Amino acid sequence: MIAILFVCFFVLLFLGLPIAFTLGGSSLLAIALGSDMDLAIVAQRIFSGSSGFTLMAIPFFVLAGNLMSSGGISRRLINFCNVMLGHVSGGLAMVAVVACGFFAAISGSSAATAAAIGAIIIPEMLTHRYDRNFAAATVASSAELGVIIPPSIGLIMYGVAAEQSIGDLFKAGLLPGVFICVTLMAAAHFMAKKQGFVPSEKSTGKQKLAALRKALLALFMPVMILGSIYGGLCTATEAAVLAVVYGFVVGVFVYKEIQWKDLPKILLDSCLTAATVLVIIGCSNIFGWVLAKQSVPQLVANAFLSISGSKYVFLLLVNVLLLLVGMFCEAGAAMVILAPLLAPVAAGLGIDLVHFGIIMMANLAVGMVTPPVGVNLYVVCDSAKVKIEGMMRYLLVFFAVLILDLLVITFVPQLSLLLPHLLA
């Protein structure tokens, strides 16, 4: 049954089927050809895997992100960051990183962050004579913060797959996300300074105050989302609903940049994105069920432990595995497939599963900026009108920084676990 499962999985993947149909199809064929079980189990598992209360946070966060993007939030965030940092060497590149961090705390999606921020900041960088490939590489690398800084759709998927608290994962993701943001800002600053890109004029105190006033409602949104979760006032799902209501009111009635005629398209785009994620989760549930039925998690655990019983060796091997998987598999799908396999091994070695979730997410986030499946790369290529090969000399620098960040996040667990312990 396992042989049929993996042969069918790789054949369907090679044929170019979407990952959800690859997971579901290979599971269906494995059950049909390798067992005498009733095929109704496939439908039951797919439905149960995508119908949990926690998963309701995903469509709401997607909708909140789309409302923010359409409602002028991203433009005001970028303007505020530019007023504060634009006069520094490489200031606009640093603005791109910070803006991605702020938008990540709203959308929970890497691709959405790349699209929303890239469409505004890249043209602005080009007017200041920044290299087109550098601008695209900066946004693509920074947009990975969308799945690390909470709220993160990827962390929700890990929490469901590994049966961990979404609230604790959101607390754990904040400091690593800020740490990555700072290191990317430093890399962007030094590269821009070396290339001699032109900074903006320094803003006056009056201009800074005006930009802050315009961006205040935008800046308050991540505070509201994370504060309500960290303070124990509501769950991640309830915070997602609050984010939708807030985004709707601000976009329609305050900023007035969302017209009533725009709402059907915003809702349709949100439904399509959320449905794609939930179908992947549902199909991965039956795939994981087949694996568990055939004791594959135990086989994986034995394979890792046969190499070494050290948790540090295990973490190094996991980092290498996830970086390779992230290059060829969409992060959400990789998370729901691998988390049930790797989390039990990590727990057996005494690794905190909340910390392990951040390690997995940070690794798979790097896959979003590595060919051939780097989603962020294709998003910014469209915005900046560049090719991936043109960005490579800048991407390699950002990639090196992200690898160093991964090592710190992996081997300094306090960075991830400080907030969950303080706010317990």
Side-chain angles (χ1 to χ4, degrees):
M1 190 174 177
I2 288 299
I4 295 172
L5 180 74
F6 281 106
V7 168
C8 292
F9 176 82
F10 286 110
V11 168
L12 295 176
L13 194 65
F14 180 76
L15 291 175
L17 262 70
I19 189 68
F21 299 136
T22 300
L23 291 168
S26 57
S27 304
L28 175 65
L29 291 170
I31 292 172
L33 302 177
S35 75
D36 57 359
M37 288 185 282
D38 190 338
L39 290 180
I41 191 69
V42 177
Q44 291 169 1
R45 285 285 166 178
I46 290 175
F47 180 79
S48 64
S50 57
S51 61
F53 174 75
T54 304
L55 292 175
M56 288 177 63
I58 293 176
F60 284 114
F61 276 129
V62 169
L63 177 55
N66 284 339
L67 287 169
M68 291 294 99
S69 180
S70 303
I73 293 288
S74 52
R75 181 165 49 78
R76 286 170 172 81
L77 286 173
I78 289 173
N79 183 55
F80 172 69
C81 295
N82 189 33
V83 165
M84 297 298 175
L85 294 171
H87 61 281
V88 182
S89 290
L92 268 180
M94 297 168 72
V95 167
V97 179
V98 176
C100 284
F102 272 118
F103 197 81
I106 295 172
S107 70
S109 166
S110 179
T113 301
I117 301 301
I120 299 171
I121 195 66
I122 290 176
E124 183 69 17
M125 292 175 76
L126 296 180
T127 62
H128 285 79
R129 300 199 294 277
Y130 278 73
D131 181 85
R132 187 180 294 270
N133 289 305
F134 173 72
T138 302
V139 174
S141 303
S142 306
E144 74 143 27
L145 293 166
V147 292
I148 300 174
I149 292 180
S152 161
I153 292 173
L155 289 178
I156 294 172
M157 295 167 80
Y158 172 83
V160 172
E163 299 180 352
Q164 295 299 303
S165 164
I166 305 299
D168 285 346
L169 288 166
F170 279 7
K171 295 170 190 173
L174 184 60
L175 290 182
V178 172
F179 173 67
I180 293 173
C181 186
V182 171
T183 58
L184 289 176
M185 284 175 66
H189 168 70
F190 285 112
M191 277 195 285
K193 192 172 183 179
K194 186 177 179 181
Q195 295 289 330
F197 298 135
V198 182
S200 306
E201 291 184 8
K202 188 171 183 177
S203 302
T204 64
K206 188 176 180 180
Q207 289 173 322
K208 291 179 180 179
L209 193 61
L212 174 62
R213 188 171 62 253
K214 291 179 181 178
L216 203 56
L217 291 175
L219 294 170
F220 179 71
M221 187 171 185
V223 174
M224 179 194 69
I225 295 171
L226 300 181
S228 61
I229 296 172
Y230 293 174
L233 300 176
C234 58
T235 65
T237 303
E238 292 161 349
V241 176
L242 283 176
V244 170
V245 174
Y246 185 85
F248 175 78
V249 171
V250 170
V252 175
F253 299 108
V254 181
Y255 291 159
K256 298 181 180 179
E257 295 202 14
I258 298 178
Q259 305 299 318
W260 291 102
K261 64 180 180 181
D262 300 328
L263 290 177
K265 184 179 186 305
I266 293 172
L267 290 169
L268 179 61
D269 290 344
S270 302
C271 287
L272 291 173
T273 302
T276 301
V277 175
L278 291 173
V279 169
I280 291 173
I281 293 174
C283 290
S284 69
N285 189 42
I286 181 62
F287 189 86
W289 182 82
V290 174
L291 293 177
K293 194 81 174 171
Q294 299 300 306
S295 302
V296 173
Q298 288 82 355
L299 296 175
V300 172
N302 292 335
F304 273 107
L305 294 175
S306 67
I307 298 172
S308 173
S310 167
K311 69 178 182 180
Y312 301 108
V313 175
F314 168 73
L315 288 173
L316 274 176
L317 292 173
V318 165
N319 276 322
V320 174
L321 172 66
L322 292 175
L323 285 172
L324 290 173
V325 169
M327 293 174 66
F328 300 98
C329 187
E330 193 272 329
M335 181 64 81
V336 292
I337 294 171
L338 295 176
L341 297 178
L342 298 177
V345 188
L349 292 171
I351 300 168
D352 189 288
L353 289 187
V354 171
H355 175 220
F356 190 67
I358 304 302
I359 294 172
M360 287 195 69
M361 196 69 263
N363 271 280
L364 294 173
V366 176
M368 295 178 173
V369 289
T370 52
V373 186
V375 178
N376 294 358
L377 298 180
Y378 299 108
V379 172
V380 298
C381 280
D382 184 59
S383 299
K385 304 295 185 290
V386 296
K387 293 184 177 180
I388 293 176
E389 51 268 31
M391 293 189 284
M392 284 310 298
R393 66 183 177 124
Y394 299 114
L395 285 173
L396 288 173
V397 177
F398 285 121
F399 184 72
V401 171
L402 291 172
I403 294 299
L404 291 174
D405 292 344
L406 279 177
L407 292 175
V408 173
I409 291 169
T410 300
F411 296 109
V412 185
Q414 293 81 1
L415 185 64
S416 302
L417 298 177
L418 179 62
L419 281 183
H421 289 164
L422 287 177
L423 301 175

